[in-house]
Amino acid sequence: MRKPSVLSAYPMDELSGIICEFVEQGKEVVFTAKGHSMRPLLRSDKDQVILKACNPDALGDGEVILYRRDSGGYVIHRIVSRNKNGTYNLMGDSQTQLERGIRPNQILAVACGFIIKNREIASSGKKYTRYVSFWSRSKTIRRLYIFLFYGFMRLRYLAAAAFRKIFPKK
Amino acid sequence: MKLNDAVAVRKIGNDTIAFVVGESRVDLRQILRLNPMAEWLFGRLSTPHTEDELVEAFVAEYGVTAEAARKDISEFLQNCAELGFIEDI
């Protein structure tokens, strides 16, 4: 029998049922973030989001939520604004395009905290609220960050591809 | 020993996973993926069993030698205990 495999990050789409089950029971759920859309706040496969139940009709700008897209995918992004018809406009921290018209019935949970580099940060904490306020307003810095981050990722990918070409596995 | 009461086991697609459910928080940072034999052991451990009883039942179920079963089970139980999935009673 092999050693049991311990996983720190499991695809959110597959865990969504479990997350919803326990959030509905009133528990907080700690979940490892996957993907780069919430950088620089959350690093993929390294940092965690702490989710809890919420009233989807009473969420404020800046809150990070778990929602289900009509296409079926589960996503964690930040509320940027609310429309008159009650829907929300969302965006990841490393994105510049709004995702408009997310209905309250698509929202499953809200983030009440994060675990970043093994340190727990409450979403009501001073440092975090300062980050949200700064990051929401600093469009130029956000664009520069996105340019640098994705530029670096692309360079890393190209370097790895070149390395594989020069030193193919035998 | 037996399975910690706070352990939840769920099926996700083809996988069976286990994780610890706290009183106010569920931590999905450590998810244990169970293979069929580990799943069988977890099923047994829902009630208290000694290691010898598990080995005996495992040999009867899977037809392996007692020596091989003891080695594997002992290692598996040790790993699970370190992760807080099973408790000595």
Side-chain angles (χ1 to χ4, degrees), chain B:
Chain B
M1 65 192 71
K2 76 180 275 288
L3 205 62
N4 186 333
D5 289 334
V7 169
V9 178
R10 296 286 186 280
K11 283 238 182 246
I12 293 186
N14 294 325
D15 288 343
T16 302
I17 61 166
F19 51 92
V20 176
V21 178
E23 210 151 281
S24 61
R25 190 177 270 191
V26 180
D27 196 338
L28 296 176
R29 271 181 291 182
Q30 284 206 319
I31 299 172
L32 201 62
R33 185 158 52 195
L34 306 175
N35 63 23
M37 291 180 206
E39 199 181 335
W40 180 87
L41 277 172
F42 263 44
R44 285 263 155 183
L45 284 167
S46 56
T47 53
H49 282 86
T50 64
E51 195 173 315
D52 288 342
E53 287 169 344
L54 289 173
V55 170
E56 201 178 309
F58 194 84
V59 169
E61 180 77 19
Y62 290 101
V64 294
T65 64
E67 196 182 335
R70 183 172 299 282
K71 184 176 172 284
D72 283 350
I73 289 174
S74 178
E75 197 180 328
F76 177 76
L77 294 176
Q78 197 179 333
N79 287 323
C80 288
E82 281 168 13
L83 294 166
F85 283 80
I86 56 171
E87 56 192 15
D88 278 324
I89 52 162

Side-chain angles (χ1 to χ4, degrees), chain A residues 10 13 19 21 73 75 110-111 143:
Chain A
Y10 211 86
D13 284 1
I19 294 173
E21 175 189 341
V75 187
V110 66
R143 282 178 199 281

Side-chain angles (χ1 to χ4, degrees), chain A residues 33-99:
Chain A
K34 277 186 98 68
H36 299 297
S37 67
M38 281 303 286
R39 267 194 171 255
L41 179 69
L42 299 169
R43 296 166 306 154
S44 182
D45 291 340
K46 288 179 181 158
D47 299 324
Q48 286 82 30
V49 187
I50 306 167
L51 297 166
K52 68 169 186 177
C54 65
N55 174 2
D57 289 308
L59 294 166
D61 293 356
E63 294 204 78
V64 172
I65 57 165
L66 168 67
Y67 63 101
R68 188 172 192 265
R69 284 182 173 147
D70 286 333
S71 59
Y74 291 83
V75 187
I76 289 178
H77 278 164
R78 191 182 299 284
I79 295 174
V80 174
S81 57
R82 192 164 191 195
N83 303 310
K84 281 180 183 166
N85 63 3
T87 61
Y88 294 94
N89 301 320
L90 308 175
M91 190 158 64
D93 282 4
S94 68
Q95 295 179 326
T96 52
Q97 291 282 320
L98 274 181
E99 185 172 357

Side-chain angles (χ1 to χ4, degrees), chain A residues 81-130:
Chain A
S81 57
R82 192 164 191 195
N83 303 310
K84 281 180 183 166
N85 63 3
T87 61
Y88 294 94
N89 301 320
L90 308 175
M91 190 158 64
D93 282 4
S94 68
Q95 295 179 326
T96 52
Q97 291 282 320
L98 274 181
E99 185 172 357
R100 296 175 192 276
I102 299 300
R103 302 179 306 276
N105 66 6
Q106 292 176 265
I107 297 170
L108 307 167
V110 66
C112 59
F114 307 91
I115 300 175
I116 294 162
K117 293 180 182 170
N118 291 323
R119 261 187 58 198
E120 191 166 329
I121 296 167
S123 60
S124 55
K126 256 188 190 173
K127 260 190 180 176
Y128 174 75
T129 44
R130 246 184 269 149

